[in-house]
Amino acid sequence: MYSYYSKNLDELVALVMQNQAEKVIALIESGKFNKSLLGDIGCCEHPLPLYKLSLCNMILLDSDGWRSDFLPIVERNRQNCRLLLNYWEKRWSYPIDMPMDFGTYQYECAHFKDWDMDELLDGDINELMAMGYDENEVELCYAVLTYKADLIQKQIALGTNPDVYISASLAPGKGEPCDGESYNALDCCNTFYCDAFNCHGLDVFWSDPEVKEVQARDVYLLLEAAAYQDLEERLEKLKYRAIDNC
């Protein structure tokens, strides 16, 4: 969809990605920066204001389960990100207490972009239902893999169970973790945001104090990781609702 995955972004974007609070504030207060970045950093289908990078960072930084050796880096970045969020709110009146609107950026957030259901789940919804899979569970799984925000919200409202392994290559109930065939909406959320750090280098922006060149693809990776971290929390609650209703 986009021709600028490798588009180089402004130094100020890199500083915000790295939670370099003092440098960000000093640069902005000097007035020697591109002021249009405050309203749109210029790499998404819809405008992405600069402060929303801090919202995404904090979603990830506030999560638990970090490796003990990486925790000091997380704590340092957490402190600096809070300083930035306070600055965005006090100096620029940005609504930092509002939930991040990932639905606006669903294409950038999606792990699988432009994939059809039969490409991911080895069959369309009619085939999967004929095998005995639940229609809503199939729809939720596909919506999570491709980050279809409206469908995700629809299935959350219905209380659909996200903890189901789905593939037309396997009978219902036969899928399991790491089988190489099926997808589980809840498990995939964890996999996608962990892979952003463990496989795709998102951790570099927190761990290296030197200013890094940031490309559009790095912003997409941050959006994806934060979106799936946020979604995992919502689906965990949904899982227990589904169990309680059994």
Side-chain angles (χ1 to χ4, degrees), residues 127-144:
E127 293 173 292
L128 288 157
M129 288 173 60
M131 293 178 65
Y133 284 101
D134 179 82
E135 179 179 8
N136 288 323
E137 291 172 356
V138 171
E139 186 175 87
L140 176 58
C141 185
Y142 177 67
V144 168

Side-chain angles (χ1 to χ4, degrees), residues 29-73:
E29 292 302 312
S30 75
K32 298 176 181 178
F33 73 103
N34 182 350
K35 295 177 177 58
S36 68
L37 294 172
L38 293 174
D40 182 18
I41 65 173
C43 65
C44 295
E45 181 180 9
H46 299 286
L48 179 66
L50 189 61
Y51 83 93
K52 289 187 178 180
L53 299 182
S54 297
L55 291 182
C56 290
N57 266 328
M58 187 51 73
I59 287 169
L60 294 164
L61 288 163
D62 262 354
S63 61
D64 299 320
W66 296 102
R67 299 191 321 265
S68 59
D69 62 315
F70 196 64
L71 194 54
I73 293 171

Side-chain angles (χ1 to χ4, degrees), residues 117-229:
M117 182 180 290
D118 59 356
E119 294 177 289
L120 291 171
L121 302 180
D122 299 319
D124 62 26
I125 197 160
N126 292 324
E127 293 173 292
L128 288 157
M129 288 173 60
M131 293 178 65
Y133 284 101
D134 179 82
E135 179 179 8
N136 288 323
E137 291 172 356
V138 171
E139 186 175 87
L140 176 58
C141 185
Y142 177 67
V144 168
L145 296 175
T146 56
Y147 209 88
K148 305 295 185 187
D150 290 345
L151 289 179
I152 291 170
Q153 189 53 46
K154 169 191 168 184
Q155 294 302 333
I156 288 176
L158 290 172
T160 301
N161 184 10
D163 192 20
V164 179
Y165 293 90
I166 297 175
S167 171
S169 299
L170 298 169
K174 296 299 183 181
E176 57 186 26
C178 304
D179 60 21
E181 297 282 351
S182 61
Y183 285 105
N184 176 299
L186 187 56
D187 284 355
C188 282
C189 288
N190 183 271
T191 297
F192 296 160
Y193 75 74
C194 286
D195 281 356
F197 288 91
N198 299 332
C199 302
H200 303 301
L202 189 60
D203 59 310
V204 171
F205 294 101
W206 292 357
S207 59
D208 191 336
E210 298 299 321
V211 174
K212 290 290 181 183
E213 185 178 83
V214 170
Q215 297 182 334
R217 70 176 77 244
D218 302 313
V219 172
Y220 303 158
L221 189 61
L222 175 62
L223 284 167
E224 178 185 335
Y228 282 108
Q229 165 67 43

Side-chain angles (χ1 to χ4, degrees), residues 11-12 15 18 20-28 209-211:
E11 176 189 358
L12 182 57
L15 291 172
Q18 289 189 295
Q20 297 272 9
E22 291 184 2
K23 291 182 180 180
V24 170
I25 294 169
L27 181 55
I28 291 177
E210 298 299 321
V211 174

